[in-house]
Amino acid sequence: MKRMLALLFACAMGLAQAAELVDGRLVVDVRTHEEYASGHVKGALSAPVDKVGDIVEQVAPDRGTPITLYCRSGRRSEQALQALQSRGYHKLENLGGLEDAVKRYGPLVR
């Protein structure tokens, strides 16, 4: 029930793509919305680093959700990882930069 409510809330907030897990993980692009719009991994949630905690909590309230983070170079995704750890998330991965995301998940979509 909690998961369903979270997904309904995510849809209402325009975060419908967040319901899609990629390889069993929530993939989060922590770049700006403009960077995300220029190309992102298919199925990735847009959650800029300064809002990542609030957005991820809305979409994945379960602190055991496996989450992979990426940005342009890996620096912001490390900041996002630390922000999510401070909120109790523990299955986190800093994938690094956009090139690393493309290697794992395939070409970018717009």
Side-chain angles (χ1 to χ4, degrees), residues 7-89:
L7 292 176
L8 289 172
F9 184 76
C11 290
M13 296 292 293
L15 303 172
Q17 79 275 20
E20 183 179 337
L21 296 181
V22 181
D23 293 336
R25 301 184 69 82
L26 178 63
V27 177
V28 182
D29 184 324
V30 301
R31 299 175 301 149
T32 65
H33 291 303
E34 293 79 19
E35 288 173 301
Y36 177 88
S38 72
H40 58 275
V41 169
K42 183 178 180 186
L45 168 68
S46 177
V49 68
D50 60 334
K51 297 178 179 110
V52 70
D54 293 335
I55 292 172
V56 168
E57 280 186 344
Q58 292 169 3
V59 174
D62 178 359
R63 300 308 198 255
T65 301
I67 300 172
T68 295
L69 305 154
Y70 74 90
C71 61
R72 186 181 55 78
S73 67
R75 188 174 353 160
R76 287 178 282 180
S77 51
E78 182 60 33
Q79 292 172 341
L81 184 142
Q82 292 173 10
L84 292 173
Q85 278 180 331
S86 74
R87 292 181 183 229
Y89 288 89

